[in-house]
Amino acid sequence: MSQDTETCTHQIVYFGVTNVNIDERTIGSVDIWRCAICKKRFCEEKQLGIDSIVDYVGMPKIDPDEKWAILVRKLFKGKDRWKLVRLKQNGTLKVENPDDKVVEIPVNNFQVTDPQHASFLIDDHVNKAIEI
Ligand SMILES: [Zn+2]
């Protein structure tokens, strides 16, 4: 039986990586870490050539009902085209786009359902590449 993730004193170990490719060229990646005790996963966005963008202290937080995902913004190019996000099973994903506009994207069964966006669950792409 796994422990409640909220009371777990996580023992984080490296788990894998998901590469983000455009035309088969890697432009960024997501490092995946996992707690050896409760198996909760933690992800960190890495843009190629930029040291990690740390806007938190310690491991990035994720709620028990959320999954890590890569959001693809089809209207944007290059590094602005993707972003690491947390998806709930159903509801709305609120993200700030590179043009400073906040958009609300509908989410259905851990997938964004919007013609201008796509999403890929990290859990399904450990040690794989995602072509965006
Ligand atoms: Zn843990």
Side-chain angles (χ1 to χ4, degrees), residues 84-131:
L84 178 67
V85 295
R86 302 158 179 85
L87 291 182
K88 289 197 190 297
Q89 186 165 12
N90 294 293
T92 309
L93 174 71
K94 208 173 185 179
V95 288
E96 191 176 334
N97 270 342
D99 58 8
D100 291 336
K101 279 196 190 118
V102 175
V103 291
E104 295 194 4
I105 308 163
V107 178
N108 183 19
N109 199 22
F110 296 108
Q111 291 280 328
V112 299
T113 57
D114 178 89
Q116 293 170 356
H117 296 87
S119 62
F120 297 90
L121 289 180
I122 292 291
D123 284 349
D124 299 335
H125 297 86
V126 178
N127 294 327
K128 292 179 187 167
I130 293 172
E131 180 75 32

Side-chain angles (χ1 to χ4, degrees), residues 19-79:
N19 283 326
V20 179
N21 292 1
I22 292 179
D23 297 331
E24 296 179 7
R25 194 171 58 92
T26 300
I27 61 151
S29 61
V30 173
D31 280 345
I32 309 157
W33 304 78
R34 189 172 75 159
C35 172
I37 303 165
C38 70
K39 312 298 183 198
K40 189 168 183 172
R41 296 191 187 171
F42 303 87
C43 293
E44 194 174 16
E45 178 178 321
K46 295 269 175 75
Q47 296 280 1
L48 202 71
I50 304 173
D51 286 337
S52 67
I53 310 150
V54 179
D55 59 356
Y56 48 79
V57 177
M59 275 288 149
K61 291 189 175 66
I62 185 163
D63 289 337
D65 63 340
E66 292 176 321
K67 290 187 181 185
W68 294 102
I70 285 174
L71 175 72
V72 181
R73 302 150 158 154
K74 297 179 185 175
L75 298 182
F76 295 89
K77 288 191 161 64
K79 68 176 176 57

Side-chain angles (χ1 to χ4, degrees), residues 3-12 34-40 42:
Q3 292 188 24
D4 177 356
T5 59
E6 300 317 296
T7 57
C8 180
T9 53
H10 300 310
Q11 298 211 358
I12 309 287
R34 189 172 75 159
C35 172
I37 303 165
C38 70
K39 312 298 183 198
K40 189 168 183 172
F42 303 87

